[in-house]
Amino acid sequence: IVIAKRFTKGLSDLSTKVMKLAPGHWDFSRTVKSGDEVELLDTVVADLTMRLRDTFGAMEEEIDARATELRKQSAQDRAILDTIEHGVLLFDSSGNITEANPAAERLLLAKSGNLKGKSAVAALPLRSHQRMLTIDHHPVERCLKHRQRFHQRPESHPCIVRDDGTLLPIVLVVSPLMEKTHCHGGIAVFQDVTEERQLDYMKSEFISLASHQLRTPLSSILWYIELLTDAKGVKMTSEQRS
């Protein structure tokens, strides 16, 4: 009985010390001096504890360095999103917005944070050539369905119909966020091209007006030439006729 108690007491003490081991608590002192297998086990556990402490210390340093790097990258990405003039919407695989930059909120006349959780299709009601795009033809829906990049060309004259009824001429690009064959969602980037669209309209108007103003005197000149060439009794030299 005495031998059994001595043996079990060493194991019990060893078990208590092992149970206390945890990250940040690697203190393990050798206390078993029985000269048997229990003391050997106590020595082995002490050695393993030192190795675990060194391994966890190196892992913690690596994790801290990686976390610092990720925080720095996140701050840079946020700064880019906050400063660019293009609207950026991130949406999940269900098409719901998970992130929107300030430019997107400003262009869509939305309050800060109000776009999160909203359907990207609903947030970007599009009109092209005087017709509203249906859900099936919306670039966001097509991006998620076909897992392909879609680009609304300027010649299709896409516009966002905003909540106040005004039209916002845009160029829109929607790309899926893929991990191998799995689609996690997508990103929609749109640019306000109101000035470009107005310049294009003014150019067309100028060309039309200039063409009209040039045709008017040319028509009169041609009419007078026809009168001269058809007039009887009027003799013209070859130079005049030319």
Side-chain angles (χ1 to χ4, degrees):
I1 296 175
V2 173
I3 296 174
K5 286 183 176 180
R6 288 181 59 189
F7 185 78
T8 56
K9 184 178 185 305
L11 289 176
S12 177
D13 292 343
L14 181 60
S15 175
T16 301
K17 291 190 296 182
V18 171
M19 292 294 292
K20 293 180 179 180
L21 296 177
H25 301 280
W26 298 113
D27 296 331
F28 188 93
S29 57
R30 295 176 54 191
T31 58
V32 179
K33 304 293 182 181
S34 59
D36 54 13
E37 290 81 359
V38 178
E39 182 178 354
L40 177 61
L41 183 59
D42 188 56
T43 303
V44 171
V45 173
D47 181 63
L48 288 176
T49 301
M50 292 179 61
R51 295 184 184 184
L52 282 174
R53 181 187 61 194
D54 295 340
T55 301
F56 268 83
M59 289 177 59
E60 288 176 350
E61 291 179 0
E62 184 177 351
I63 291 172
D64 288 342
R66 182 59 178 162
T68 301
E69 182 181 346
L70 288 175
R71 284 193 294 268
K72 181 179 178 181
Q73 184 63 48
S74 177
Q76 290 176 349
D77 293 342
R78 171 52 60 182
I80 293 172
L81 284 176
D82 289 347
T83 54
I84 63 174
E85 291 299 317
H86 291 39
V88 179
L89 297 178
L90 291 172
F91 52 90
D92 58 23
S93 57
S94 299
N96 296 322
I97 298 173
T98 58
E99 194 69 41
N101 71 334
E105 295 173 337
R106 174 175 52 81
L107 293 173
L108 296 176
L109 305 180
K111 294 181 179 180
S112 179
N114 281 6
L115 291 176
K116 286 187 179 181
K118 189 176 181 180
S119 167
V121 174
L124 295 171
L126 297 177
R127 194 177 81 166
S128 179
H129 294 303
Q130 308 300 321
R131 296 177 61 183
M132 293 297 298
L133 293 184
T134 61
I135 295 179
D136 292 337
H137 290 86
H138 198 284
V140 171
E141 189 67 23
R142 295 176 65 188
C143 171
L144 292 174
K145 183 177 181 181
H146 301 289
R147 300 179 180 181
Q148 294 178 354
R149 181 176 182 268
F150 285 88
H151 186 188
Q152 287 287 101
R153 298 292 180 181
E155 56 268 21
S156 65
H157 297 289
C159 293
I160 295 176
V161 183
R162 296 189 285 194
D163 291 340
D164 63 352
T166 58
L167 299 178
L168 178 68
I170 62 164
V171 172
L172 174 66
V173 179
V174 184
S175 300
L177 299 177
M178 302 293 297
E179 183 180 355
K180 295 183 179 179
T181 59
H182 182 67
C183 180
H184 292 286
I187 179 171
V189 180
F190 54 98
Q191 178 185 2
D192 180 7
V193 292
T194 302
E195 293 184 4
E196 290 84 346
R197 197 75 60 83
Q198 289 177 344
L199 289 174
D200 185 62
Y201 175 77
M202 292 171 62
K203 180 181 69 176
S204 299
E205 285 290 304
F206 172 77
I207 293 174
S208 176
L209 180 62
S211 299
H212 175 73
Q213 294 296 332
L214 286 173
R215 281 198 302 268
T216 300
L218 286 175
S219 298
S220 299
I221 292 171
L222 288 173
W223 183 65
Y224 283 118
I225 289 175
E226 289 177 2
L227 286 178
L228 288 173
T229 56
D230 293 339
K232 296 180 180 180
V234 177
K235 293 182 179 181
M236 291 188 294
T237 65
S238 60
E239 184 179 356
Q240 289 173 334
R241 183 174 293 277
S242 173

